[in-house]
Amino acid sequence: MKFLRDFLDKQKPQFEKGGRFEKLQSTFDAFETFLFVPDKTTFSGAHVRDAIDLKRTMSVVIIAMLPALLFGIWNAGYQHFLSLGQSPGFWPIVFYGLMKVLPIVIVSYVAGLGVEFIFAQYRGHEVNEGYLVSGMLIPLVMPIDIPLWMVALASIFAVVIGKEAFGGTGMNVFNPALLARAFVFFAYPVKITGDTIWTGGLSKGEGVVDGFSGATPLGNAAAGAIDKIPSLQDLFFGFIPGSIGETSKLAILIGAAILILTGIGSWRVMLSGLLGGLSMTLIFNLFAANEYMKIDPLTQMMMGSFLFGIVFMATDPVTAAQTTRGKWIYGFLIGFIAIMIRVFNPAYPEGMMLSILLLNAFAPLIDHYVVEANINKRLKRATTSVKS
Amino acid sequence: MSNVIKIKKGLNINLIGEAEKTIKELSTDQFAIKPTDFIGVFPKLLVKEGDVVKAGSPLFMDKYRDNILFSSPVSGKVREIKRGAKRVLLEVKIESDGKSESIDLGAGDPLKMKREDVLDKLLKSGVWPFIRQRPYSVIANPADQPKSIFISTFDTAPLAPDNDLIVHGQGEAFQKGLDVLSTLTKGKIHLNIDASATQSKVFTNSKGVQINKFSGPHPAGNVGVQINKIDPINKGEVVWYLYPQDVIIIGKLFLTGSYDSTRIVALTGSEVLKPTYYKTNVGANLESLVKNNLTSVEKRFISGNVLTGTKIDPDGYVGFYSSQITVIKEGNYHEFLGWALPGFDKFSFSRSFPSFLFSKRKYSLDTNLHGGERALVMTGQFEKVFPFDIYPMQLLKAIMAENIDQMEQLGIYEIDEEDFALCEVIDTSKTNIQEIVRKGLDLMRKEMS
């Protein structure tokens, strides 16, 4: 790799201040540090440092999302051919899925990273790796038939309004990927709701065999067609229509295991989120005023993006609560409110997105009260020691 | 007393290069006292180059607290006064005459002396700077009444010296030192020992103190953690602390009337061929300490341990408070796709490298930062190595925002930069956390004075 290093060292002066391409300094730096961990050494404080950095952290998250992505690609093809009433075998299915999903991924990365690079240069920062994850999350929460220009627009919106407007990575209040989803949801409601967009080609009016509706389990449930909800097995493995990454609970659980094992995703948020969803469902079961409220907890948890949201969205460390106790409360409320919105408000079949965004907004408040308790404890100790 | 205080959060970093448990005599005639070792001190020189000094002769004093003197560790003459940029006083170098003569301050039983007389002796001999205070880790103010005095008899930092070995045979002087300290506070003297490792009778048979047992990973040996668990500091309160070797120096001062700055230093680290202990005096020259005992790679010399020590030059001097020298590799190299490779040999607190499967492994770490500085993204990591009832991230952010009220509310009086060292090591964003904490403490100290 010496020739590569030599090449970089030779080009570097051109990108530094006063060089020909000084406007591309951040971009150069991003690529250089991608190829080589920098030779920077400690100059203050601890002399040795952990081998982990943000690149490593983010790549672990991406690895955790890969099973969901791969299954999503396969399922995109599977659903498409199902709607046509064909079963052409594994490779054509995967090929179709790739042709549909890959462009979305590429567009999301190019659009989002482009904005990131511009802002990093403008601010004189190094490029933060946060978007590597957001850029993958955005395709995973999109319906398969979404127009590519919408993905681009949503990605740019997510980075500019969701992140840079707040001061960049680490400062944002809302999860950028969810914001992208919310953007298309509210800006182009016609394009992202309904039964046709979840299956490749369906929205263009390609042929549909009898009995294939394309509706997601949530769509069925909201429409009162409880009997049309697929079997637990299909829900678990993900042979159902839905956003690209959300359908296979198995793939999501593999991702969750990776996140928990490496310690990078908060198991507290995941567990409390599940408990929250479970509690709400059980309360609904208790009253059971309509068919939707009667759905058992297991089915409820496996419909829609509930699991996907808890594992990949709610755990975003920047927008989640930061304190340990706060994380429990935050996760629980996300699960709780997601099921509530889903059941009570049929206009928004997917309560998860709104629930996480809502709790993103409240996370600082939750933290505030948790920290306040600590402050009061300290004050109390101080006053007792003065008295004694 | 038999209750063991268990520290659960923390991290032991196992490094290669632990000192062999034998003590060698070091023959060097070069020593120096570095004013930069003392936080918040403005040095005013009292000697000039060529002056003849004895052990205990004052070299400089604190301009704003003129009763605090800093004295020569050995007898000899002032060889050089080294200044840096803007004429900042860096080192007062002493060449020893090998006689180790000390000024005579007269022996005395501290328990029969008045507090003022004890203070007077400590100040005049120049041993006072060994006694420091929390908050802020500055030299204690003789006018204060500390609510208690803390001595940590064990060090949990990487490759830390074994105090049991260091104090061996010094029981009398140690006890005398404790007696001296007992005249300085109306509160308790807390002598904190390692529940499983501390064996030395010097510590366990100490009288007039409360012995507390601790167990757990680093930072269990940090005095800040121990204060926090036993007698936490509230606003306006002051706790004094010092290291075991310094208690012995104080004890000897009252036993013999002379300033004996003997200091045992552990030479450690992966780049030392034969790591071992050396017996010398405070402020010994590094060159003679490491002579013919180093590997040939590019090295970093640290006075202290890898977490909190100070980088010194190869011809520098051991710090005033240090009893350890660590020598490790410099890490100024590029690593191809280092963040993406599996990394079986990488040290990481996170489990994102397979090396976490081998928890007993000893590492030879270098000074590479392993990444670029980023925004603070990850949460919940610091809490795993920070055994205080304090929110580390929130406190850091309050310091960065220079929000005095919030810093106080979040418990800045209870912590010191060394308590954040582990947070800094494991930080994904490569932030210089100790520097931030120091800034916060300095700001607070200015605000409060």
Side-chain angles (χ1 to χ4, degrees):
Chain A
M1 288 308 124
K2 195 161 174 345
F3 72 97
L4 197 58
R5 186 66 246 163
D6 291 345
F7 175 76
L8 285 174
D9 284 338
K10 219 164 133 192
Q11 304 304 320
K12 205 169 182 174
Q14 300 204 42
F15 292 91
E16 275 158 5
K17 221 175 151 74
R20 256 165 79 200
F21 305 116
E22 63 170 312
K23 292 238 156 59
L24 291 171
Q25 201 268 327
S26 278
T27 313
F28 179 81
D29 179 80
F31 283 108
E32 190 199 355
T33 58
F34 180 85
L35 287 170
F36 291 94
V37 172
D39 61 349
K40 275 187 207 150
T41 56
T42 53
F43 56 92
S44 94
H47 298 268
V48 297
R49 299 296 170 93
D50 203 304
I52 196 169
D53 66 351
L54 211 52
K55 279 193 183 64
R56 184 80 180 186
T57 311
M58 294 303 172
S59 33
V60 169
V61 183
I62 290 175
I63 290 171
M65 287 189 290
L66 279 183
L69 176 75
L70 293 177
F71 184 85
I73 289 172
W74 180 84
N75 195 41
Y78 175 73
Q79 294 297 331
H80 168 73
F81 288 111
L82 201 62
S83 75
L84 298 176
Q86 301 169 358
S87 52
F90 181 74
W91 289 111
I93 286 178
V94 169
F95 182 74
Y96 180 86
L98 270 177
M99 294 308 287
K100 289 296 282 188
V101 176
L102 222 48
I104 302 181
V105 175
I106 291 169
V107 165
S108 150
Y109 270 123
V110 169
L113 277 180
V115 181
E116 282 268 356
F117 277 60
I118 292 167
F119 269 95
Q121 184 61 45
Y122 173 71
R123 291 214 170 98
H125 282 180
E126 291 183 34
V127 178
N128 272 280
E129 286 83 0
Y131 192 77
L132 293 180
V133 168
S134 308
M136 181 65 92
L137 276 174
I138 290 175
L140 291 184
V141 294
M142 292 297 172
I144 190 74
D145 246 7
I146 189 165
L148 289 178
W149 62 266
M150 226 185 262
V151 178
L153 210 58
S155 304
I156 293 168
F157 177 85
V159 176
V160 175
I161 305 297
K163 221 152 89 172
E164 300 303 340
F166 290 100
T169 304
M171 318 285 181
N172 45 312
V173 176
F174 298 106
N175 185 324
L178 263 186
L179 219 53
R181 179 67 157 73
F183 174 76
V184 277
F185 185 82
F186 288 111
Y188 307 101
V190 184
K191 295 261 184 189
I192 200 164
T193 47
D195 291 343
T196 57
I197 48 146
W198 308 103
T199 307
L202 214 57
S203 51
K204 290 199 193 83
E206 287 177 29
V208 177
V209 291
D210 279 351
F212 187 92
S213 76
T216 63
L218 280 178
N220 281 330
I226 303 292
D227 55 318
K228 288 223 181 91
I229 293 175
S231 68
L232 269 183
Q233 198 183 336
D234 281 357
L235 283 176
F236 180 74
F237 289 109
F239 309 126
I240 48 170
S243 297
I244 295 169
E246 74 174 25
T247 57
S248 171
K249 311 308 168 305
L250 177 68
I252 293 167
L253 287 177
I254 294 172
I258 294 174
L259 289 180
I260 293 174
L261 188 76
T262 53
I264 282 171
S266 167
W267 60 269
R268 290 185 184 89
V269 171
M270 295 187 209
L271 180 61
S272 58
L274 271 183
L275 291 176
L278 191 67
S279 318
M280 189 75 254
T281 319
L282 288 176
I283 293 173
F284 279 149
N285 285 174
L286 209 62
F287 290 97
N290 61 30
E291 286 301 308
Y292 207 156
M293 286 167 83
K294 283 184 194 155
I295 297 176
D296 65 290
L298 206 56
T299 312
Q300 202 53 289
M301 310 275 117
M302 286 207 280
M303 286 199 299
S305 61
F306 186 82
L307 263 187
F308 186 88
I310 283 182
V311 171
F312 294 116
M313 298 287 200
T315 50
D316 169 14
V318 175
T319 53
Q322 302 192 348
T323 55
T324 306
R325 198 172 301 166
K327 283 193 170 103
W328 284 108
I329 301 170
Y330 165 87
F332 186 87
L333 287 178
I334 285 182
F336 196 83
I337 294 175
I339 301 292
M340 197 193 307
I341 297 178
R342 179 190 278 185
V343 173
F344 278 168
N345 194 339
Y348 301 114
E350 194 36 291
M352 202 58 196
M353 172 183 85
L354 296 171
S355 172
I356 297 178
L357 286 176
L358 184 71
L359 264 295
N360 279 172
F362 279 106
L365 189 71
I366 296 173
D367 277 338
H368 175 80
Y369 281 108
V370 172
V371 172
E372 198 71 9
N374 179 270
I375 290 172
N376 288 334
K377 205 159 112 193
R378 188 164 294 110
L379 271 178
K380 208 174 152 194
R381 191 184 73 206
T383 25
T384 41
S385 90
V386 167
K387 270 185 204 150
S388 57
Chain B
M1 184 190 130
S2 56
N3 283 349
V4 176
I5 299 169
K6 287 197 185 88
I7 306 293
K8 291 201 188 88
K9 296 169 172 181
L11 169 68
N12 284 330
I13 302 175
N14 301 320
L15 296 184
I16 291 169
E18 197 179 335
E20 190 196 323
K21 292 197 172 147
T22 51
I23 301 175
K24 288 184 183 166
E25 288 284 337
L26 177 72
S27 56
T28 180
D29 56 357
Q30 301 300 326
F31 295 89
I33 299 296
K34 299 180 280 187
T36 45
D37 283 343
F38 310 103
I39 293 162
V41 165
F42 290 85
K44 189 178 170 192
L45 265 181
L46 299 171
V47 290
K48 47 186 194 302
E49 287 178 11
D51 279 4
V52 175
V53 290
K54 287 181 174 178
S57 304
L59 299 176
F60 57 92
M61 61 185 218
D62 187 355
K63 200 170 162 186
Y64 298 107
R65 294 197 285 181
D66 55 10
N67 53 357
I68 294 182
L69 302 174
F70 301 83
S71 58
S72 173
V74 291
S75 61
K77 69 171 202 283
V78 179
R79 189 166 65 89
E80 190 194 339
I81 287 163
K82 187 176 166 189
R83 289 182 184 275
K86 294 186 187 165
R87 291 189 47 78
V88 169
L89 189 57
L90 293 180
E91 288 164 357
V92 180
K93 297 183 188 173
I94 313 289
E95 191 169 285
S96 164
D97 57 11
K99 292 179 201 149
S100 51
E101 281 172 22
S102 163
I103 55 164
D104 187 23
L105 290 142
D109 185 351
L111 296 176
K112 289 177 188 149
M113 290 163 74
K114 275 192 278 185
R115 188 176 193 260
E116 298 88 81
D117 298 334
V118 173
L119 278 177
D120 192 52
K121 210 176 171 89
L122 291 170
L123 287 164
K124 275 206 178 119
S125 60
V127 303
W128 183 260
F130 287 119
I131 305 174
R132 286 181 287 174
Q133 69 156 63
R134 290 290 167 88
Y136 316 132
S137 303
V138 294
I139 296 168
N141 182 359
D144 280 345
Q145 271 281 1
K147 72 166 178 168
S148 51
I149 297 179
F150 275 75
I151 301 157
S152 173
T153 67
F154 65 106
D155 192 341
T156 44
L159 302 175
D162 175 11
N163 280 329
D164 275 19
L165 177 75
I166 284 175
V167 301
H168 182 74
Q170 304 284 348
E172 193 191 0
F174 189 76
Q175 183 60 50
K176 188 62 80 181
L178 295 178
D179 293 346
V180 175
L181 296 174
S182 68
T183 64
L184 300 179
T185 176
K186 290 193 178 112
K188 281 179 184 154
I189 296 177
H190 293 279
L191 192 71
N192 305 319
I193 64 173
D194 185 329
S196 55
T198 303
Q199 303 283 341
S200 176
K201 295 263 186 299
V202 174
F203 296 134
T204 53
N205 288 353
S206 295
K207 288 177 191 63
V209 296
Q210 176 173 324
I211 296 181
N212 311 298
K213 291 180 184 170
F214 282 84
S215 75
H218 187 67
N222 275 10
V223 72
V225 175
Q226 298 166 357
I227 297 171
N228 187 266
K229 297 294 168 201
I230 294 171
D231 192 10
I233 299 173
N234 299 305
K235 187 183 182 181
E237 294 176 339
V238 171
V239 168
W240 289 358
Y241 72 100
L242 60 174
Y243 295 145
Q245 291 211 63
D246 308 337
V247 178
I248 292 172
I249 292 176
I250 291 173
K252 282 183 182 162
L253 176 69
F254 283 77
L255 277 176
T256 63
S258 52
Y259 175 36
D260 174 356
S261 71
T262 302
R263 169 71 57 89
I264 291 168
V265 177
L267 179 61
T268 64
S270 58
E271 302 317 302
V272 179
L273 296 175
K274 281 186 184 143
T276 185
Y277 291 80
Y278 286 94
K279 188 175 177 183
T280 176
N281 290 82
V282 168
N285 178 246
L286 182 65
E287 237 173 344
S288 47
L289 199 63
V290 297
K291 206 172 173 185
N292 300 329
N293 198 6
L294 293 175
T295 60
S296 55
V297 296
E298 195 181 347
K299 294 169 283 285
R300 173 168 302 189
F301 299 93
I302 302 161
S303 172
N305 60 56
V306 292
L307 297 180
T308 59
T310 319
K311 180 183 172 180
I312 53 175
D313 293 334
D315 60 347
Y317 297 84
V318 182
F320 188 77
Y321 298 105
S322 302
S323 49
Q324 181 183 7
I325 292 288
T326 313
V327 189
I328 56 172
K329 276 199 285 279
E330 277 290 2
N332 50 350
Y333 54 84
H334 290 276
E335 191 187 3
F336 181 67
L337 290 180
W339 57 275
L341 298 172
F344 286 98
D345 53 350
K346 294 264 177 70
F347 163 76
S348 181
F349 177 64
S350 79
R351 290 186 298 258
S352 63
F353 292 89
S355 51
F356 80 89
L357 297 167
F358 318 100
S359 61
K360 289 269 182 279
R361 166 184 285 170
K362 288 188 174 180
Y363 293 89
S364 154
L365 298 182
D366 57 50
T367 62
N368 192 290
L369 205 51
H370 299 294
E373 200 165 317
R374 293 290 184 270
L376 290 164
V377 167
M378 295 301 285
T379 61
Q381 308 283 328
F382 297 167
E383 283 83 350
K384 293 180 190 162
V385 293
F386 191 72
F388 292 81
D389 186 18
I390 286 174
Y391 288 101
M393 184 68 101
Q394 280 70 18
L395 179 55
L396 273 182
K397 287 185 175 170
I399 294 174
M400 286 158 133
E402 303 195 350
N403 186 336
I404 303 275
D405 286 340
Q406 212 173 21
M407 276 152 70
E408 191 177 293
Q409 289 169 344
L410 291 170
I412 193 161
Y413 299 122
E414 298 167 49
I415 54 97
D416 189 63
E417 47 187 317
E418 67 174 14
D419 300 322
F420 275 88
L422 281 175
C423 299
E424 185 172 64
V425 171
I426 65 156
D427 179 25
T428 315
S429 309
K430 311 295 174 191
T431 315
N432 286 320
I433 293 172
Q434 291 191 76
E435 195 179 287
I436 296 171
V437 173
R438 186 72 254 164
K439 269 186 198 152
L441 289 167
D442 285 346
L443 187 69
M444 214 64 212
R445 191 160 52 90
K446 248 184 227 152
E447 202 70 19
M448 289 294 131
S449 59

